[in-house]
Amino acid sequence: MRVLSGIQPTGRPHWGNYFGAIRQYIQLQSEEKAYYFIANLHALTTIDDRQGANRLEQLTFDAALDLLALGLDPNQATLFVQSDVPEVSELCWILMARTPMGLLERCHAYKEKKSKGLSADVGLFTYPVLMAADILAYDADVVPVGEDQVQHIEVCRDLAASFNHRFGDTFVLPKAKVLEDAARVPGTDGEKMSKSYGNTIEVFEDPAAMRKKVKRIKMDSRPMEEPKAPDSDHLYQLFCLFATPEERDELAALYRRGGFGYGQVKEQLADVADRFLAGPREKRAELEAHPDRVREILAAGAASARAKATEVLRRAQEACGLRPA
Ligand code: TYM
């Protein structure tokens, strides 16, 4: 099994990124081959000035620190920065040449912006094609992601299948892999946790700041004594991500009994999150003190990723007549 996934360096990773995606990266890193990258080309669709550019560079490096601190092992998986593999951008053009407009018009990020009456950039419109190139360039068959990316993996499959149909078998058709318990991690307002909704709690947030955000999680105003259904409650869902099975059962029983305050549950959530993140925090601080080591990991990752992407690009070029077979 060949695994691939990417994360945008548009902000520090939040609980949704970790439980929906990064946790899967770590679980799958010992597969035959695993490629994980920091999608700085995708992030460019949201950067608009020099200040943003400096920030993008820093955030890209920070994302590498974050992934390594959370358990990504460079001896098992290939970790690299998207723009270090320019072959992917060429592959993107090859795919774009025959991508139907209608396919991209249906994609949610573009559709959402249009529905708000905002003008969209070509980069946002063609974003799923670059994603397809990212995936196809490494012959990936499994793409671990949160639910919001599933549509993009379907677009990738469509583009790959249509290229194969036209030019003969060239690309591997990938499948999305979504974890059931964290397909859509809720944010502090109960909606999907997302940088663009401003409802995130960051993985490497300072513990006191994290506790404050947890305290501000929006809840309903039902009376304390009323029994409540745990499974549909976003505070309970967040607690479950960090808690042991026994802790989950105990809290679920309390919900069903009633007679508790949300404040008390929030304290418990902050405690289990703290416990969970103490190790990664320590590891991150250690890595931060050795930036050269991290740069070496990214350079080695880029070299290995480039070798594979070059092979796949050649195959595609030969298939469609851009290079003698
Ligand atoms: P990005 O950076 O928005 O998110 C990274 C990963 O985190 C997952 N995720 C969530 N999962 C569960 N609940 C949430 N609230 C939540 N929020 C985010 C996302 O599903 C994603 O898996 N386009 C991609 C980056 C990308 C990519 C790729 C991914 C570029 N090329 C190729 C896979 C394959 C993105 O913007 O992810």
Side-chain angles (χ1 to χ4, degrees), residues 146-189:
E147 199 179 60
D148 60 339
Q149 297 299 321
V150 171
Q151 184 188 39
H152 295 151
I153 318 289
E154 289 305 314
V155 168
C156 175
R157 280 180 73 86
D158 278 4
L159 294 180
S162 129
F163 188 99
N164 287 352
H165 178 72
R166 253 185 224 123
F167 301 116
D169 238 5
T170 308
F171 295 123
V172 174
L173 265 51
K175 271 208 188 90
K177 187 169 183 301
V178 179
L179 287 180
E180 231 171 77
D181 68 337
R184 184 181 170 280
V185 173
T188 53
D189 55 359

mmCIF file of all heavy atoms in Angstrom, residues 146-189:
data_model
loop_
_atom_site.group_PDB
_atom_site.id
_atom_site.type_symbol
_atom_site.label_atom_id
_atom_site.label_comp_id
_atom_site.label_asym_id
_atom_site.label_seq_id
_atom_site.Cartn_x
_atom_site.Cartn_y
_atom_site.Cartn_z
ATOM 1 N N GLY A 146 -9.440 14.037 6.366
ATOM 2 C CA GLY A 146 -10.734 14.268 7.006
ATOM 3 C C GLY A 146 -11.800 14.309 5.918
ATOM 4 O O GLY A 146 -11.486 14.390 4.721
ATOM 5 N N GLU A 147 -13.053 14.296 6.357
ATOM 6 C CA GLU A 147 -14.191 14.195 5.429
ATOM 7 C C GLU A 147 -14.207 15.307 4.375
ATOM 8 O O GLU A 147 -14.592 15.087 3.227
ATOM 9 C CB GLU A 147 -15.447 14.277 6.278
ATOM 10 C CG GLU A 147 -16.690 13.768 5.654
ATOM 11 C CD GLU A 147 -17.826 13.909 6.665
ATOM 12 O OE1 GLU A 147 -18.108 15.048 7.101
ATOM 13 O OE2 GLU A 147 -18.400 12.870 7.026
ATOM 14 N N ASP A 148 -13.757 16.506 4.763
ATOM 15 C CA ASP A 148 -13.847 17.650 3.848
ATOM 16 C C ASP A 148 -12.998 17.479 2.584
ATOM 17 O O ASP A 148 -13.185 18.208 1.611
ATOM 18 C CB ASP A 148 -13.456 18.953 4.575
ATOM 19 C CG ASP A 148 -12.038 18.922 5.119
ATOM 20 O OD1 ASP A 148 -11.479 17.827 5.306
ATOM 21 O OD2 ASP A 148 -11.465 20.005 5.339
ATOM 22 N N GLN A 149 -12.066 16.537 2.597
ATOM 23 C CA GLN A 149 -11.204 16.354 1.421
ATOM 24 C C GLN A 149 -11.668 15.216 0.501
ATOM 25 O O GLN A 149 -11.085 15.000 -0.564
ATOM 26 C CB GLN A 149 -9.751 16.077 1.855
ATOM 27 C CG GLN A 149 -9.115 17.227 2.628
ATOM 28 C CD GLN A 149 -9.052 18.512 1.817
ATOM 29 O OE1 GLN A 149 -8.792 18.499 0.611
ATOM 30 N NE2 GLN A 149 -9.308 19.642 2.450
ATOM 31 N N VAL A 150 -12.708 14.508 0.926
ATOM 32 C CA VAL A 150 -13.122 13.326 0.166
ATOM 33 C C VAL A 150 -13.534 13.700 -1.263
ATOM 34 O O VAL A 150 -13.189 13.017 -2.233
ATOM 35 C CB VAL A 150 -14.269 12.582 0.908
ATOM 36 C CG1 VAL A 150 -14.864 11.489 0.047
ATOM 37 C CG2 VAL A 150 -13.735 11.999 2.216
ATOM 38 N N GLN A 151 -14.242 14.814 -1.383
ATOM 39 C CA GLN A 151 -14.684 15.246 -2.719
ATOM 40 C C GLN A 151 -13.464 15.447 -3.643
ATOM 41 O O GLN A 151 -13.500 15.098 -4.821
ATOM 42 C CB GLN A 151 -15.468 16.555 -2.598
ATOM 43 C CG GLN A 151 -16.039 17.003 -3.919
ATOM 44 C CD GLN A 151 -16.661 18.397 -3.841
ATOM 45 O OE1 GLN A 151 -16.143 19.284 -3.175
ATOM 46 N NE2 GLN A 151 -17.771 18.573 -4.529
ATOM 47 N N HIS A 152 -12.398 16.009 -3.089
ATOM 48 C CA HIS A 152 -11.204 16.254 -3.905
ATOM 49 C C HIS A 152 -10.538 14.941 -4.351
ATOM 50 O O HIS A 152 -9.999 14.856 -5.448
ATOM 51 C CB HIS A 152 -10.200 17.109 -3.119
ATOM 52 C CG HIS A 152 -10.702 18.493 -2.833
ATOM 53 N ND1 HIS A 152 -10.319 19.212 -1.730
ATOM 54 C CD2 HIS A 152 -11.566 19.270 -3.513
ATOM 55 C CE1 HIS A 152 -10.922 20.395 -1.752
ATOM 56 N NE2 HIS A 152 -11.694 20.449 -2.822
ATOM 57 N N ILE A 153 -10.604 13.939 -3.507
ATOM 58 C CA ILE A 153 -10.011 12.643 -3.890
ATOM 59 C C ILE A 153 -10.866 12.022 -5.005
ATOM 60 O O ILE A 153 -10.348 11.358 -5.907
ATOM 61 C CB ILE A 153 -9.917 11.668 -2.682
ATOM 62 C CG1 ILE A 153 -9.447 12.365 -1.413
ATOM 63 C CG2 ILE A 153 -9.053 10.448 -3.021
ATOM 64 C CD1 ILE A 153 -8.065 12.799 -1.295
ATOM 65 N N GLU A 154 -12.171 12.263 -4.938
ATOM 66 C CA GLU A 154 -13.045 11.760 -6.011
ATOM 67 C C GLU A 154 -12.708 12.441 -7.337
ATOM 68 O O GLU A 154 -12.682 11.793 -8.388
ATOM 69 C CB GLU A 154 -14.533 12.009 -5.660
ATOM 70 C CG GLU A 154 -15.067 11.132 -4.542
ATOM 71 C CD GLU A 154 -14.859 9.652 -4.821
ATOM 72 O OE1 GLU A 154 -15.135 9.212 -5.941
ATOM 73 O OE2 GLU A 154 -14.395 8.931 -3.904
ATOM 74 N N VAL A 155 -12.441 13.742 -7.287
ATOM 75 C CA VAL A 155 -12.039 14.467 -8.502
ATOM 76 C C VAL A 155 -10.744 13.856 -9.043
ATOM 77 O O VAL A 155 -10.583 13.629 -10.247
ATOM 78 C CB VAL A 155 -11.838 15.978 -8.203
ATOM 79 C CG1 VAL A 155 -11.151 16.685 -9.363
ATOM 80 C CG2 VAL A 155 -13.172 16.641 -7.890
ATOM 81 N N CYS A 156 -9.826 13.568 -8.140
ATOM 82 C CA CYS A 156 -8.555 12.967 -8.540
ATOM 83 C C CYS A 156 -8.790 11.633 -9.255
ATOM 84 O O CYS A 156 -8.205 11.369 -10.311
ATOM 85 C CB CYS A 156 -7.683 12.780 -7.289
ATOM 86 S SG CYS A 156 -6.149 11.910 -7.622
ATOM 87 N N ARG A 157 -9.661 10.825 -8.699
ATOM 88 C CA ARG A 157 -9.976 9.525 -9.333
ATOM 89 C C ARG A 157 -10.566 9.731 -10.726
ATOM 90 O O ARG A 157 -10.206 9.045 -11.672
ATOM 91 C CB ARG A 157 -11.003 8.747 -8.489
ATOM 92 C CG ARG A 157 -10.441 8.039 -7.304
ATOM 93 C CD ARG A 157 -11.567 7.308 -6.560
ATOM 94 N NE ARG A 157 -12.038 6.129 -7.286
ATOM 95 C CZ ARG A 157 -11.469 4.939 -7.186
ATOM 96 N NH1 ARG A 157 -10.441 4.761 -6.403
ATOM 97 N NH2 ARG A 157 -11.939 3.911 -7.877
ATOM 98 N N ASP A 158 -11.481 10.712 -10.818
ATOM 99 C CA ASP A 158 -12.121 10.999 -12.115
ATOM 100 C C ASP A 158 -11.072 11.395 -13.142
ATOM 101 O O ASP A 158 -11.087 10.920 -14.286
ATOM 102 C CB ASP A 158 -13.103 12.175 -11.982
ATOM 103 C CG ASP A 158 -14.446 11.731 -11.447
ATOM 104 O OD1 ASP A 158 -14.571 10.536 -11.117
ATOM 105 O OD2 ASP A 158 -15.348 12.581 -11.345
ATOM 106 N N LEU A 159 -10.163 12.287 -12.740
ATOM 107 C CA LEU A 159 -9.156 12.780 -13.685
ATOM 108 C C LEU A 159 -8.215 11.643 -14.093
ATOM 109 O O LEU A 159 -7.837 11.523 -15.271
ATOM 110 C CB LEU A 159 -8.357 13.935 -13.070
ATOM 111 C CG LEU A 159 -9.150 15.222 -12.796
ATOM 112 C CD1 LEU A 159 -8.251 16.287 -12.177
ATOM 113 C CD2 LEU A 159 -9.799 15.759 -14.074
ATOM 114 N N ALA A 160 -7.831 10.822 -13.132
ATOM 115 C CA ALA A 160 -6.911 9.720 -13.424
ATOM 116 C C ALA A 160 -7.578 8.710 -14.355
ATOM 117 O O ALA A 160 -6.984 8.259 -15.344
ATOM 118 C CB ALA A 160 -6.479 9.047 -12.131
ATOM 119 N N ALA A 161 -8.852 8.389 -14.047
ATOM 120 C CA ALA A 161 -9.564 7.399 -14.861
ATOM 121 C C ALA A 161 -9.742 7.925 -16.284
ATOM 122 O O ALA A 161 -9.576 7.181 -17.264
ATOM 123 C CB ALA A 161 -10.918 7.087 -14.236
ATOM 124 N N SER A 162 -10.031 9.213 -16.409
ATOM 125 C CA SER A 162 -10.260 9.750 -17.746
ATOM 126 C C SER A 162 -8.946 9.807 -18.541
ATOM 127 O O SER A 162 -8.922 9.521 -19.742
ATOM 128 C CB SER A 162 -10.973 11.095 -17.609
ATOM 129 O OG SER A 162 -10.357 12.090 -18.329
ATOM 130 N N PHE A 163 -7.837 10.131 -17.880
ATOM 131 C CA PHE A 163 -6.534 10.111 -18.562
ATOM 132 C C PHE A 163 -6.198 8.675 -19.003
ATOM 133 O O PHE A 163 -5.784 8.436 -20.148
ATOM 134 C CB PHE A 163 -5.440 10.649 -17.616
ATOM 135 C CG PHE A 163 -4.100 10.844 -18.277
ATOM 136 C CD1 PHE A 163 -3.699 12.113 -18.707
ATOM 137 C CD2 PHE A 163 -3.226 9.782 -18.464
ATOM 138 C CE1 PHE A 163 -2.455 12.301 -19.320
ATOM 139 C CE2 PHE A 163 -1.990 9.959 -19.075
ATOM 140 C CZ PHE A 163 -1.602 11.224 -19.497
ATOM 141 N N ASN A 164 -6.400 7.727 -18.099
ATOM 142 C CA ASN A 164 -6.102 6.323 -18.419
ATOM 143 C C ASN A 164 -6.955 5.844 -19.593
ATOM 144 O O ASN A 164 -6.485 5.092 -20.455
ATOM 145 C CB ASN A 164 -6.392 5.419 -17.212
ATOM 146 C CG ASN A 164 -5.352 5.596 -16.115
ATOM 147 O OD1 ASN A 164 -4.340 6.271 -16.312
ATOM 148 N ND2 ASN A 164 -5.586 4.997 -14.958
ATOM 149 N N HIS A 165 -8.203 6.311 -19.625
ATOM 150 C CA HIS A 165 -9.115 5.903 -20.684
ATOM 151 C C HIS A 165 -8.622 6.443 -22.038
ATOM 152 O O HIS A 165 -8.633 5.752 -23.055
ATOM 153 C CB HIS A 165 -10.514 6.432 -20.357
ATOM 154 C CG HIS A 165 -11.524 6.113 -21.392
ATOM 155 N ND1 HIS A 165 -11.998 4.845 -21.576
ATOM 156 C CD2 HIS A 165 -12.139 6.900 -22.316
ATOM 157 C CE1 HIS A 165 -12.868 4.855 -22.578
ATOM 158 N NE2 HIS A 165 -12.969 6.092 -23.035
ATOM 159 N N ARG A 166 -8.161 7.683 -22.011
ATOM 160 C CA ARG A 166 -7.702 8.323 -23.254
ATOM 161 C C ARG A 166 -6.359 7.804 -23.754
ATOM 162 O O ARG A 166 -6.147 7.609 -24.937
ATOM 163 C CB ARG A 166 -7.512 9.815 -22.994
ATOM 164 C CG ARG A 166 -8.568 10.635 -23.625
ATOM 165 C CD ARG A 166 -8.315 12.114 -23.465
ATOM 166 N NE ARG A 166 -9.585 12.672 -23.104
ATOM 167 C CZ ARG A 166 -9.839 13.371 -22.038
ATOM 168 N NH1 ARG A 166 -8.873 13.692 -21.230
ATOM 169 N NH2 ARG A 166 -11.040 13.783 -21.784
ATOM 170 N N PHE A 167 -5.430 7.641 -22.800
ATOM 171 C CA PHE A 167 -4.035 7.391 -23.203
ATOM 172 C C PHE A 167 -3.484 6.036 -22.768
ATOM 173 O O PHE A 167 -2.301 5.772 -22.951
ATOM 174 C CB PHE A 167 -3.125 8.500 -22.650
ATOM 175 C CG PHE A 167 -3.502 9.878 -23.114
ATOM 176 C CD1 PHE A 167 -3.936 10.840 -22.222
ATOM 177 C CD2 PHE A 167 -3.412 10.224 -24.461
ATOM 178 C CE1 PHE A 167 -4.276 12.126 -22.646
ATOM 179 C CE2 PHE A 167 -3.753 11.498 -24.900
ATOM 180 C CZ PHE A 167 -4.186 12.445 -23.992
ATOM 181 N N GLY A 168 -4.303 5.229 -22.146
ATOM 182 C CA GLY A 168 -3.807 3.933 -21.661
ATOM 183 C C GLY A 168 -3.414 4.043 -20.193
ATOM 184 O O GLY A 168 -3.215 5.135 -19.669
ATOM 185 N N ASP A 169 -3.299 2.861 -19.583
ATOM 186 C CA ASP A 169 -3.051 2.798 -18.139
ATOM 187 C C ASP A 169 -1.799 3.560 -17.726
ATOM 188 O O ASP A 169 -0.684 3.183 -18.094
ATOM 189 C CB ASP A 169 -2.886 1.321 -17.755
ATOM 190 C CG ASP A 169 -3.902 0.946 -16.717
ATOM 191 O OD1 ASP A 169 -4.748 1.799 -16.403
ATOM 192 O OD2 ASP A 169 -3.832 -0.192 -16.220
ATOM 193 N N THR A 170 -1.981 4.643 -16.985
ATOM 194 C CA THR A 170 -0.841 5.476 -16.575
ATOM 195 C C THR A 170 -0.845 5.720 -15.069
ATOM 196 O O THR A 170 0.181 5.607 -14.411
ATOM 197 C CB THR A 170 -0.913 6.849 -17.301
ATOM 198 O OG1 THR A 170 -1.052 6.606 -18.704
ATOM 199 C CG2 THR A 170 0.326 7.682 -17.033
ATOM 200 N N PHE A 171 -2.017 6.069 -14.536
ATOM 201 C CA PHE A 171 -2.093 6.469 -13.130
ATOM 202 C C PHE A 171 -2.782 5.414 -12.269
ATOM 203 O O PHE A 171 -3.697 4.731 -12.726
ATOM 204 C CB PHE A 171 -2.887 7.774 -12.997
ATOM 205 C CG PHE A 171 -2.227 8.952 -13.656
ATOM 206 C CD1 PHE A 171 -2.901 9.682 -14.626
ATOM 207 C CD2 PHE A 171 -0.939 9.334 -13.296
ATOM 208 C CE1 PHE A 171 -2.314 10.784 -15.235
ATOM 209 C CE2 PHE A 171 -0.334 10.435 -13.893
ATOM 210 C CZ PHE A 171 -1.023 11.163 -14.868
ATOM 211 N N VAL A 172 -2.350 5.358 -11.020
ATOM 212 C CA VAL A 172 -3.007 4.513 -10.019
ATOM 213 C C VAL A 172 -4.220 5.282 -9.493
ATOM 214 O O VAL A 172 -4.116 6.488 -9.217
ATOM 215 C CB VAL A 172 -2.022 4.238 -8.853
ATOM 216 C CG1 VAL A 172 -2.706 3.498 -7.717
ATOM 217 C CG2 VAL A 172 -0.795 3.487 -9.353
ATOM 218 N N LEU A 173 -5.357 4.604 -9.364
ATOM 219 C CA LEU A 173 -6.558 5.278 -8.830
ATOM 220 C C LEU A 173 -6.544 5.220 -7.295
ATOM 221 O O LEU A 173 -6.573 4.135 -6.724
ATOM 222 C CB LEU A 173 -7.822 4.607 -9.377
ATOM 223 C CG LEU A 173 -8.446 5.250 -10.616
ATOM 224 C CD1 LEU A 173 -7.448 5.462 -11.722
ATOM 225 C CD2 LEU A 173 -9.640 4.468 -11.097
ATOM 226 N N PRO A 174 -6.510 6.372 -6.628
ATOM 227 C CA PRO A 174 -6.408 6.383 -5.161
ATOM 228 C C PRO A 174 -7.765 6.315 -4.465
ATOM 229 O O PRO A 174 -8.795 6.574 -5.085
ATOM 230 C CB PRO A 174 -5.781 7.752 -4.895
ATOM 231 C CG PRO A 174 -6.369 8.612 -5.971
ATOM 232 C CD PRO A 174 -6.558 7.735 -7.186
ATOM 233 N N LYS A 175 -7.718 5.989 -3.184
ATOM 234 C CA LYS A 175 -8.941 5.969 -2.350
ATOM 235 C C LYS A 175 -8.708 6.829 -1.126
ATOM 236 O O LYS A 175 -7.622 6.799 -0.551
ATOM 237 C CB LYS A 175 -9.194 4.548 -1.869
ATOM 238 C CG LYS A 175 -10.029 3.731 -2.774
ATOM 239 C CD LYS A 175 -10.769 2.658 -1.935
ATOM 240 C CE LYS A 175 -11.470 1.686 -2.841
ATOM 241 N NZ LYS A 175 -10.639 0.549 -3.203
ATOM 242 N N ALA A 176 -9.737 7.561 -0.699
ATOM 243 C CA ALA A 176 -9.637 8.339 0.541
ATOM 244 C C ALA A 176 -9.777 7.396 1.731
ATOM 245 O O ALA A 176 -10.483 6.395 1.652
ATOM 246 C CB ALA A 176 -10.748 9.373 0.593
ATOM 247 N N LYS A 177 -9.076 7.711 2.821
ATOM 248 C CA LYS A 177 -9.249 6.939 4.053
ATOM 249 C C LYS A 177 -9.622 7.914 5.170
ATOM 250 O O LYS A 177 -8.834 8.792 5.517
ATOM 251 C CB LYS A 177 -7.963 6.189 4.390
ATOM 252 C CG LYS A 177 -8.126 5.241 5.538
ATOM 253 C CD LYS A 177 -6.923 4.322 5.668
ATOM 254 C CE LYS A 177 -7.119 3.312 6.774
ATOM 255 N NZ LYS A 177 -7.332 3.939 8.087
ATOM 256 N N VAL A 178 -10.842 7.752 5.649
ATOM 257 C CA VAL A 178 -11.358 8.683 6.657
ATOM 258 C C VAL A 178 -11.603 7.920 7.954
ATOM 259 O O VAL A 178 -12.182 6.830 7.925
ATOM 260 C CB VAL A 178 -12.689 9.314 6.170
ATOM 261 C CG1 VAL A 178 -13.253 10.261 7.207
ATOM 262 C CG2 VAL A 178 -12.470 10.055 4.854
ATOM 263 N N LEU A 179 -11.159 8.473 9.077
ATOM 264 C CA LEU A 179 -11.387 7.817 10.368
ATOM 265 C C LEU A 179 -12.786 8.157 10.862
ATOM 266 O O LEU A 179 -13.163 9.331 10.901
ATOM 267 C CB LEU A 179 -10.364 8.287 11.403
ATOM 268 C CG LEU A 179 -8.945 7.767 11.262
ATOM 269 C CD1 LEU A 179 -8.066 8.339 12.366
ATOM 270 C CD2 LEU A 179 -8.898 6.247 11.301
ATOM 271 N N GLU A 180 -13.520 7.118 11.248
ATOM 272 C CA GLU A 180 -14.915 7.334 11.627
ATOM 273 C C GLU A 180 -15.074 8.268 12.829
ATOM 274 O O GLU A 180 -15.937 9.134 12.847
ATOM 275 C CB GLU A 180 -15.538 5.989 11.972
ATOM 276 C CG GLU A 180 -16.827 5.732 11.244
ATOM 277 C CD GLU A 180 -17.254 4.313 11.462
ATOM 278 O OE1 GLU A 180 -17.759 4.030 12.557
ATOM 279 O OE2 GLU A 180 -17.062 3.483 10.536
ATOM 280 N N ASP A 181 -14.206 8.108 13.828
ATOM 281 C CA ASP A 181 -14.402 8.888 15.059
ATOM 282 C C ASP A 181 -13.938 10.337 14.926
ATOM 283 O O ASP A 181 -14.096 11.122 15.848
ATOM 284 C CB ASP A 181 -13.691 8.222 16.240
ATOM 285 C CG ASP A 181 -12.172 8.259 16.103
ATOM 286 O OD1 ASP A 181 -11.683 8.389 14.964
ATOM 287 O OD2 ASP A 181 -11.483 8.186 17.132
ATOM 288 N N ALA A 182 -13.322 10.681 13.780
ATOM 289 C CA ALA A 182 -12.823 12.058 13.653
ATOM 290 C C ALA A 182 -12.937 12.564 12.229
ATOM 291 O O ALA A 182 -12.130 13.341 11.762
ATOM 292 C CB ALA A 182 -11.370 12.120 14.117
ATOM 293 N N ALA A 183 -13.999 12.106 11.530
ATOM 294 C CA ALA A 183 -14.170 12.529 10.140
ATOM 295 C C ALA A 183 -14.347 14.039 10.073
ATOM 296 O O ALA A 183 -13.913 14.698 9.141
ATOM 297 C CB ALA A 183 -15.388 11.841 9.547
ATOM 298 N N ARG A 184 -14.991 14.592 11.134
ATOM 299 C CA ARG A 184 -15.303 16.019 11.137
ATOM 300 C C ARG A 184 -15.256 16.483 12.588
ATOM 301 O O ARG A 184 -16.267 16.487 13.290
ATOM 302 C CB ARG A 184 -16.709 16.178 10.551
ATOM 303 C CG ARG A 184 -17.181 17.586 10.385
ATOM 304 C CD ARG A 184 -18.607 17.554 9.815
ATOM 305 N NE ARG A 184 -19.213 18.857 9.844
ATOM 306 C CZ ARG A 184 -19.757 19.396 10.939
ATOM 307 N NH1 ARG A 184 -19.769 18.731 12.078
ATOM 308 N NH2 ARG A 184 -20.278 20.605 10.866
ATOM 309 N N VAL A 185 -14.061 16.826 13.047
ATOM 310 C CA VAL A 185 -13.893 17.243 14.446
ATOM 311 C C VAL A 185 -14.574 18.600 14.638
ATOM 312 O O VAL A 185 -14.334 19.532 13.861
ATOM 313 C CB VAL A 185 -12.383 17.329 14.791
ATOM 314 C CG1 VAL A 185 -12.176 17.921 16.172
ATOM 315 C CG2 VAL A 185 -11.734 15.949 14.687
ATOM 316 N N PRO A 186 -15.444 18.726 15.662
ATOM 317 C CA PRO A 186 -16.129 20.007 15.853
ATOM 318 C C PRO A 186 -15.213 21.077 16.456
ATOM 319 O O PRO A 186 -14.281 20.762 17.197
ATOM 320 C CB PRO A 186 -17.256 19.658 16.827
ATOM 321 C CG PRO A 186 -16.798 18.436 17.545
ATOM 322 C CD PRO A 186 -15.874 17.698 16.623
ATOM 323 N N GLY A 187 -15.512 22.329 16.149
ATOM 324 C CA GLY A 187 -14.759 23.444 16.705
ATOM 325 C C GLY A 187 -15.436 24.005 17.950
ATOM 326 O O GLY A 187 -16.415 23.421 18.444
ATOM 327 N N THR A 188 -14.975 25.148 18.437
ATOM 328 C CA THR A 188 -15.478 25.702 19.704
ATOM 329 C C THR A 188 -16.940 26.170 19.597
ATOM 330 O O THR A 188 -17.556 26.479 20.603
ATOM 331 C CB THR A 188 -14.605 26.890 20.150
ATOM 332 O OG1 THR A 188 -14.523 27.816 19.059
ATOM 333 C CG2 THR A 188 -13.211 26.452 20.536
ATOM 334 N N ASP A 189 -17.473 26.239 18.359
ATOM 335 C CA ASP A 189 -18.878 26.628 18.195
ATOM 336 C C ASP A 189 -19.746 25.441 17.771
ATOM 337 O O ASP A 189 -20.913 25.609 17.440
ATOM 338 C CB ASP A 189 -18.988 27.743 17.144
ATOM 339 C CG ASP A 189 -18.343 27.348 15.824
ATOM 340 O OD1 ASP A 189 -17.793 26.213 15.732
ATOM 341 O OD2 ASP A 189 -18.371 28.151 14.878
#
